[in-house]
Amino acid sequence: MEFIDLKAQYRHIQPAVDARIRAVLEHGQYILGPEVRELEERLAAYAGVKHCIGASSGTDTLLIALLALDIGPGDEVITSPFTFIATAEMIALAGAKPVFVDIDPRTYNLDPNRVEAAITPKTRAIMPVSLYGQCADFDAINAIAARHGLAVIEDGAQSFGATYKGCKSCALSTIGSTSFFPSKPLGGYGDGGALFTDDDHLAQRMRELRVHGQDRRYHHPRIGLNGRLDTLQAAVLLAKLDVFDDEVAARERLGARYSELLQGHVRTPVLAEGCSSVYAQYTIEVENREAVQTRLKEAGIPTAVHYPVPLHLQPAFAGLGGKTDDFPLAERAAARVLSLPMHPYLTEMEQRQVVEVLTATI
């Protein structure tokens, strides 16, 4: 059994993927070719925003967003300690200070009720993460940001395709960011990402920043980076976008079935009111995680832990002075979460096999 079966997806869409790649090989425009623009237009329409800017990864998109907002040394950005390191890493790389706020234990996303107490005169932005495929509470977060004149950057690396009160992930804040890493709900065959905004000025800045701060050839008003999306990755994503709605629907069905089958056995994902999830991971909580993982592995069932060490306890952020018990809800989740196989081509038989072994182990 595969944790994420990309080969099954490829077999399903092979003719379209091959044709798209072949077209790029024929025209030879490997950097910012026509497929990049086509993808940007389709993604902007899908999300319901004015602008989409393709980029080299879902990590670089966060850095580009921060630079577009002129966030740097002396600034602070509020974010979650329970996420992949890229979120806070890019804040630090921009020269700003990550300020962590504990999570809502139901959704694992940033708890808006704790955000305001973390705001200081140095705070410039809030960067909530839409973890495991479900959006953070953007009504509450945006209201706080508006009161304090702050920008909001959604790290939607895991949630593209999800909805929040009728609006799509990455269309909920000042800037939305997502990743096209192969295992993401909409993933390429390598690294890639995209930025979303309704702000014309920020869109122009981000387009310039992704190509060395250039506004026209060999003219650089600002320092940028090499953050372009490859044309070949755009071609793959265009083929995948054709079946994305079907795959999102399949993920929702699979998530609901897992939750039904596991009800009463383990803590299953909680969907906040008005939210859908694309289940980038289907994540449960267990007490004896190591023993459960071992038993599942013996039965040929792969698992993963997203994420075992909260960011305030990572050695890279030791300089921030974080210590155990600073963010107890994030720490508790980190010790208990376990992600099960999840992808649109997972069969009901495979799901029942996972559940049978899991419930017999707990």
Side-chain angles (χ1 to χ4, degrees):
M1 186 183 302
E2 299 282 349
F3 186 72
I4 297 171
D5 195 343
L6 297 176
K7 295 186 290 293
Q9 183 194 49
Y10 175 60
R11 288 191 294 270
H12 181 64
I13 58 173
Q14 182 175 353
V17 171
D18 291 355
R20 282 286 190 175
I21 291 175
R22 191 162 51 248
V24 177
L25 297 177
E26 290 290 340
H27 66 58
Q29 298 176 55
Y30 299 114
I31 303 297
L32 295 181
E35 286 80 4
V36 174
R37 171 56 62 185
E38 182 184 353
L39 179 68
E40 289 173 339
E41 290 174 352
R42 287 185 61 184
L43 290 175
Y46 178 87
V49 299
K50 289 174 67 176
H51 304 283
C52 170
I53 300 95
S56 46
S57 73
T59 299
D60 288 341
T61 50
L62 297 175
L63 180 60
I64 291 169
L66 291 161
L67 295 177
L69 293 164
D70 288 324
I71 291 172
D75 297 330
E76 295 177 353
V77 179
I78 293 170
T79 194
S80 169
F82 189 57
T83 180
F84 184 58
I85 194 170
T87 311
E89 181 184 37
M90 290 303 101
I91 296 169
L93 197 62
K97 177 185 176 182
V99 175
F100 298 120
V101 167
D102 215 346
I103 60 171
D104 178 337
R106 300 172 308 121
T107 65
Y108 305 109
N109 286 327
L110 192 70
D111 185 348
N113 296 315
R114 302 171 186 269
V115 168
E116 208 142 18
I119 295 173
T120 76
K122 296 181 179 180
T123 306
R124 291 286 312 283
I126 306 170
M127 189 183 284
V129 181
S130 295
L131 200 69
Y132 298 154
Q134 178 178 192
C135 296
D137 187 351
F138 278 92
D139 281 356
I141 291 167
N142 287 336
I144 293 167
R147 285 198 297 272
H148 295 271
L150 307 176
V152 178
I153 303 167
E154 180 189 9
D155 182 345
Q158 298 179 15
S159 60
F160 192 72
T163 58
Y164 174 85
K165 299 183 180 180
C167 294
K168 291 277 185 21
S169 175
C170 293
L172 302 167
S173 58
T174 316
I175 298 173
S177 163
T178 198
S179 168
F180 301 132
F181 187 79
S183 63
K184 303 303 183 186
L186 180 62
Y189 290 162
D191 280 312
L195 292 146
F196 300 81
T197 188
D198 282 322
D199 186 303
D200 296 343
H201 176 67
L202 286 176
Q204 182 60 31
R205 277 195 157 203
M206 291 189 290
R207 289 192 188 282
E208 294 171 3
L209 284 162
R210 74 169 175 182
V211 59
H212 304 286
Q214 176 177 278
D215 63 351
R216 58 185 185 274
R217 192 165 176 80
Y218 298 129
H219 187 262
H220 306 266
R222 55 183 53 84
I223 298 296
L225 63 152
N226 181 1
R228 301 168 300 210
L229 177 66
D230 288 340
T231 307
L232 280 168
Q233 294 304 331
V236 170
L237 290 162
L238 283 165
K240 289 194 173 192
L241 194 55
D242 289 338
V243 298
F244 188 53
D245 283 339
D246 291 340
E247 292 190 346
V248 168
R251 286 176 174 276
E252 291 178 346
R253 287 194 303 272
L254 289 161
R257 183 184 295 139
Y258 259 143
S259 293
E260 181 182 356
L261 294 172
L262 289 170
Q263 190 66 38
H265 295 283
V266 295
R267 184 199 184 283
T268 56
V270 175
L271 286 180
E273 185 177 355
C275 288
S276 70
S277 177
V278 287
Y279 294 103
Q281 290 84 30
Y282 185 89
T283 303
I284 61 173
E285 285 190 23
V286 294
E287 295 282 354
N288 52 336
R289 183 170 67 197
E290 188 172 336
V292 171
Q293 281 192 285
T294 298
R295 178 66 189 94
L296 289 169
K297 184 178 181 181
E298 289 170 349
I301 299 169
T303 59
V305 177
H306 305 94
Y307 298 92
V309 182
L311 298 187
H312 66 289
L313 300 180
Q314 290 286 355
F317 292 119
L320 297 178
K323 57 188 184 302
T324 302
D325 294 330
D326 279 354
F327 304 102
L329 298 174
E331 291 169 35
R332 184 178 189 276
R336 294 167 54 89
V337 293
L338 181 66
S339 297
L340 304 178
M342 169 58 82
H343 58 84
Y345 303 93
L346 191 69
T347 67
E348 182 174 356
M349 183 180 299
E350 287 173 324
Q351 276 195 292
R352 291 187 180 278
Q353 180 188 352
V354 172
V355 171
E356 182 179 348
V357 177
L358 178 62
T359 53
T361 304
I362 295 169

